[in-house]
Amino acid sequence: MPPALVASAQASPNIALVKYWGNRDDDLRLPSNGSLSMTLGGLHTVARVAFDPAATVDTLVIAGQVAPPAARQRVAQQLDLVRAAAGHDLRARIDSSSNFPSGAGIASSASAFAAITLAATAACGLALDAAALSRLARRGSGSACRSVFGGFVEWIAGDGDESSYAIPLAPGEHWPLIDLVAVVSQAAKSTGSTEGHRLAASSPLQTARVADTPRRLSACRQALLERDFARLAEVVELDSLMMHAVMMTSSPALVYWQPSTLTVLHAVAEWRRQGHEVCATVDAGPNVHCLCAPGQAAVVKAKLQDLPGVDLVFECPPGEAARLLPN
Ligand code: PMV
C-alpha cells in the first residue's frame, strides 16, 4: 500500500458553452456529443479522502453532515473504480464541502467528483496524468471530466472509455470572460441530470441536436480563439436552447425553467440589443448563467440585481484546474 492513504483536493465547477446531454453508454458515461466549457473561478469543492484499514463501509460527509444513502452509493461506486486501479479494497471516509450552496443551480457534482477522484487517486498513491484523471472523473459525473482543467476546456466524446476525456483549449487569461450566475431558485431540482441524460433519446429532437454538434463546437472554438463575442453569443444561446428543446420534448417532459428564467433570458437579449456584450445559457435547472465580455460585468451585474425574481448573483471569472491540497 502507498504510505499516505489520505489526500485532499480542490476543484471548481464549470459552465458548458456547448452542452453535454444524453449518453451513448449510461454506465460508462460516454456522451452522445462532445462539449465545451469554462471552469468557474471563485467557486470550489474541497474533498478529503481517507482510506481506513479498520473501516467496513465508505462514509460520505457533505458540509459536516452524513450524506443520504443515494449520494454515498454514488461516491462509493466511484471509489470502487479507484480501488480497482490501486489493487486494494479499503473503505474510506470522504469529507466534501463547497463554498457555494448546492441548490444554487451550479453544477456541484462536477467540482465534487473532480475533487473526490483526484483526492482518492492521490491517497492511493496513483499518479494519473490529466487525461487519465479526466477519464476517471467522467465516471462519477460526466461534466466532472471538464473540471479537471482550468480555463476553457473541451470534452472529446470519443468512441469508448479510453478515448472519452477532456482537454484544455485555452487558459482563462486568453479571454477573461465573467459568468454572472443569476440565481432565481435554490430549490432542489426534481429530476437530476443522471436521470435526465437517460431521457434525452426519447426526444425526437435529440438526433438533430447531436448531428449538428460538430458545427456548434467548431463555431464555439473559433469564437473563443478569436475572442469574437458576437459569434460566441450566437452559438452559446443556440446550444442552450437546443438542449432545453430536447429536455422539453422528452417523455416525460423536463421543463427546468421557471418564470424568472424567462425574465432573465429576455432581459439579456434586450441588453445585448442595447450594445452590452452579454449572453445567456441555462443548465439542468432554472438559473441563468450570463456570460459577459471583460469590462461588462459590473454594469450587467447591477442590472441583474434589479430584475424581479433574481435572488442573488455569483460572479465567476475563468477558474483553475483541480489541484491537490496539503494534508
Ligand atoms: O455531468 P452531469 O451528469 O451533471 O451533466 C451535466 C449536464 C449539463 O450541465 C446540463 C450540461 C453540461 O455539459 O454541463
Side-chain angles (χ1 to χ4, degrees):
M1 270 306 299
L5 291 177
V6 52
S8 300
Q10 170 174 318
S12 291
N14 64 79
I15 178 64
L17 309 178
V18 173
K19 298 190 189 286
Y20 147 56
W21 194 246
N23 288 319
R24 280 186 299 126
D25 182 320
D26 285 317
D27 291 338
L28 289 173
R29 294 187 198 268
L30 295 178
S32 302
N33 61 277
S35 55
L36 202 158
S37 60
M38 181 175 103
T39 301
L40 298 179
L43 307 178
H44 57 250
T45 300
V46 171
R48 179 179 186 274
V49 178
F51 288 95
D52 177 359
T56 54
V57 290
D58 291 316
T59 304
L60 174 64
V61 177
I62 301 177
Q65 306 280 329
V66 174
R72 184 181 66 94
Q73 183 55 29
R74 186 166 168 190
V75 169
Q77 271 178 16
Q78 183 69 359
L79 289 202
D80 286 344
L81 300 174
V82 176
R83 284 185 274 258
H88 71 73
D89 199 29
L90 299 178
R91 305 293 119 176
R93 176 181 161 122
I94 306 101
D95 283 274
S96 169
S97 61
S98 300
N99 70 346
F100 56 98
S102 63
I106 300 163
S108 53
S109 64
S111 51
F113 277 99
I116 288 170
T117 306
L118 177 55
T121 51
C124 293
L126 292 171
L128 301 185
D129 65 23
L133 182 66
S134 174
R135 277 179 52 219
L136 198 53
R138 186 197 83 229
R139 302 288 295 277
S141 179
S143 55
C145 79
R146 299 187 309 238
S147 277
V148 165
F149 299 98
F152 300 96
V153 181
E154 181 165 352
W155 176 6
I156 309 297
D159 53 15
D161 178 40
E162 291 285 325
S163 55
S164 187
Y165 53 84
I167 56 169
L169 267 190
E173 308 84 68
H174 167 73
W175 199 15
L177 300 173
I178 301 289
D179 180 14
L180 298 175
V181 191
V183 177
V184 301
S185 166
Q186 300 198 50
K189 53 192 173 199
S190 54
T191 307
S193 50
T194 298
E195 203 182 329
H197 291 298
R198 293 181 199 274
L199 299 178
S202 69
S203 164
L205 305 184
Q206 171 73 344
T207 307
R209 191 192 73 88
V210 170
D212 182 63
T213 306
R215 188 189 66 83
R216 297 193 309 286
L217 280 170
S218 161
C220 190
R221 256 184 245 121
Q222 202 168 338
L224 282 175
L225 295 178
E226 294 172 4
R227 302 186 191 88
D228 180 340
F229 195 86
R231 191 158 185 190
L232 182 78
E234 193 182 332
V235 66
V236 162
E237 293 194 347
L238 171 68
D239 186 84
S240 175
L241 292 172
M242 284 177 85
M243 181 182 73
H244 285 275
V246 166
M247 292 164 161
M248 290 176 189
T249 51
S250 294
S251 312
L254 291 177
V255 182
Y256 284 112
W257 296 359
Q258 295 292 328
S260 302
T261 309
L262 267 175
T263 303
V264 179
L265 291 178
H266 282 297
V268 166
E270 176 57 25
W271 299 336
R272 200 160 68 252
R273 275 193 290 275
Q274 292 169 1
H276 297 288
E277 288 185 310
V278 54
C279 66
T281 182
V282 183
D283 270 351
N287 302 317
V288 186
H289 292 252
C290 304
L291 284 167
C292 301
Q296 302 274 312
V299 58
V300 173
K301 187 176 184 181
K303 285 174 175 292
L304 281 170
Q305 284 168 329
D306 277 351
L307 281 184
V310 173
D311 295 339
L312 72 153
V313 179
F314 288 100
E315 186 171 342
C316 306
E320 301 294 316
R323 65 185 171 95
L324 286 169
L325 299 174
N327 270 322

